[in-house]
Amino acid sequence: MSTAVSPLAPTEVPDMPVISGVKLATAAAGIRYKGRTDVLLAVMDKGTTVAGVFTQSKCPSAPVEWCRAKLSRGRARALVVNSGNANAFTGKTGRQATALTASIAARALACSPSEVFLASTGVIGEPLDATKFNGVLGALAESAVPGEWMNAAKAIMTTDTFPKVATATVKLGKAVVTINGMAKGAGMIMPDMATMLAFVFTDAPIAAGALQSLLKSGVEDTFNAVTIDGDTSTSDTLLAFATGAAAVNGAPKISRAGDPRLKAFTKALRTVLADLAEQVARDGEGARKLVEIIVEGAMSKGSARRIAMSVANSPLVKTAIAGEDANWGRVVMAVGKAGEPANRDKLAISFNGIRVASRGARDPSYDEAGVSAAMKNPKIQIKIALGLGKGRDRVLTCDLTQEYVAINGDYRS
């Protein structure tokens, strides 16, 4: 884990309110790191519903497979997260570790192992010694208390430089409900569902099926629109838990995602997801620039997304931004290689609102000094206008610095 906090870290951290029906506790189990917490236990009241989206990697981790198998039941009593070891590419040993972890937690909480959800992050290919959870999870079950959100977010960090949390409150019927979220992720980030690990909790009474629909649609323009390095993790997991505790205060029980009473809640949920996703981009390994890429005038939204990702994942574009060089030629390259409809002679490109290229050539008003000054900002916006249709999309990424290489060059050793 890095010791220096990213210069792009949020300047303000929200006060995370208590969510009725959720208790949290953390501990140091010695999974990999010494002298820091590396295990999180979240305890949920009976009746809590759960939804989840997971990595599209064809080499998923054992915890991902465990959660997928249990998700159809729609009920959760516990979440166990460890950092330092991803329990991925660990074969039969990995599956045994997930079963043992769930059984230890279930015994501590007097629930079924199928109600225990798991997530792991860290080194791939190293066996996870789940016996280290013996005693630890029992103690955590006894010590878990409401409101330990910051400690929970810190416990799941690996190369992250700051804990990532977000919160929102919104009216649902006669009640005010709360949505709290936490996430971790700084490298190996190009999600096909969420990010490396993210967890959302609410006291709203929402059925599992409805929660699943809300979560699946919510990630599309938030976590799925973020990339750090173009690499999709084996462990990507986003879980949402709804305790239903707000029903006693007048919140209606929601059984379908299309319920009109969910309009404000849906917007608030997406705000929390978007906040967490941006924090992941701000904490990209070695990042010094937050980069927003907007593609408009594409043939479709999907086409715009693919072009934006082509630009966002280009090492040449990302290193130019790190060097504060408005090298729009590299953007042209990335647009052209995306395999999507594009017309060179209609293309226009802007950096932080300054148009640098238009109609297939350098813009007539191009000013090197002005654009060079704009590139010194900590946030860089690249806008690409294709002039072909009405498709538009937006993705977030960061620059690529020497520190990224330093972090990843010896991550395992």
Side-chain angles (χ1 to χ4, degrees), residues 23-380:
K23 294 186 292 185
L24 304 163
T26 62
I31 302 298
R32 179 166 182 250
Y33 304 110
K34 293 183 179 180
R36 56 152 289 187
T37 56
D38 56 7
V39 179
L40 159 67
L41 175 66
V43 182
M44 279 80 73
D45 284 354
K46 290 181 180 180
T48 296
T49 58
V50 60
V53 287
F54 306 95
T55 182
Q56 294 302 304
S57 169
K58 302 303 181 184
C59 299
S61 69
V64 165
E65 291 185 322
W66 173 274
C67 290
R68 279 178 174 156
K70 306 300 181 277
L71 196 64
S72 62
R73 294 172 172 83
R75 296 288 177 177
R77 289 293 313 284
L79 168 68
V80 179
V81 187
N82 75 269
S83 59
N85 186 312
N87 194 13
F89 206 69
T90 46
K92 182 179 179 181
T93 300
R95 293 188 290 274
Q96 291 172 337
T98 58
L100 178 57
T101 304
S103 66
I104 294 171
R107 200 162 51 242
L109 296 170
C111 68
S112 167
S114 66
E115 297 177 297
V116 177
F117 285 78
L118 308 172
S120 300
T121 180
V123 174
I124 294 170
E126 295 290 337
L128 173 63
D129 182 4
T131 62
K132 291 186 176 182
F133 296 127
N134 269 320
V136 172
L137 292 179
L140 290 179
E142 293 180 359
S143 63
V145 294
E148 288 291 306
W149 298 102
M150 289 304 296
N151 287 335
K154 290 176 182 177
I156 65 176
M157 292 165 58
T158 50
T159 57
D160 305 64
T161 69
F162 62 88
K164 300 165 183 64
V165 294
T167 185
T169 55
V170 66
K171 276 296 270 308
L172 181 59
K174 297 179 180 179
V176 175
V177 299
T178 302
I179 305 169
N180 283 356
M182 69 180 93
K184 68 82 51 188
M188 200 185 288
I189 303 290
M190 185 178 170
D192 279 320
M193 39 50 65
T195 185
M196 287 187 74
L197 298 182
F199 311 105
V200 177
F201 302 81
T202 181
D203 53 356
I206 303 177
L211 190 62
Q212 182 68 35
S213 294
L214 293 175
L215 193 64
K216 188 175 180 179
S217 62
V219 300
E220 196 54 41
D221 289 327
T222 58
F223 283 117
N224 275 356
V226 170
T227 179
I228 299 301
D229 44 26
D231 288 330
T232 297
S233 171
T234 60
S235 308
D236 288 348
T237 298
L238 170 56
L239 293 169
F241 303 93
T243 69
V248 299
N249 297 322
K253 295 182 179 180
I254 304 296
S255 60
R256 59 186 183 89
D259 192 316
R261 294 172 294 183
L262 270 181
K263 184 176 181 180
F265 180 91
T266 301
K267 183 178 180 180
L269 174 62
R270 289 180 178 175
T271 297
V272 169
L273 296 177
D275 190 337
L276 293 173
E278 180 170 318
Q279 290 185 57
V280 169
R282 287 180 175 273
D283 204 19
E285 289 171 340
R288 294 296 179 267
K289 307 279 188 183
L290 175 67
V291 185
E292 177 186 43
I293 298 170
I294 297 173
V295 176
E296 55 190 20
M299 295 299 290
S300 66
K301 177 180 172 64
S303 181
R305 170 67 60 87
R306 289 184 283 274
I307 291 170
M309 281 294 186
S310 178
V311 176
N313 285 321
S314 166
L316 289 175
V317 172
K318 292 161 75 73
T319 50
I321 293 170
E324 300 180 341
D325 178 15
N327 193 336
W328 50 266
R330 293 180 177 180
V331 177
V332 172
M333 172 277 300
V335 171
K337 74 167 185 172
E340 293 297 318
N343 185 321
R344 178 197 61 201
D345 297 331
K346 292 183 177 181
L347 189 64
I349 299 169
S350 299
F351 286 85
N352 277 8
I354 302 173
R355 194 166 65 181
V356 296
S358 62
R359 298 182 180 180
R362 187 172 67 183
D363 193 83
S365 62
Y366 180 83
D367 175 44
E368 181 72 27
V371 73
S372 293
M375 294 300 292
K376 296 186 181 301
N377 290 327
K379 181 176 180 180
I380 304 297

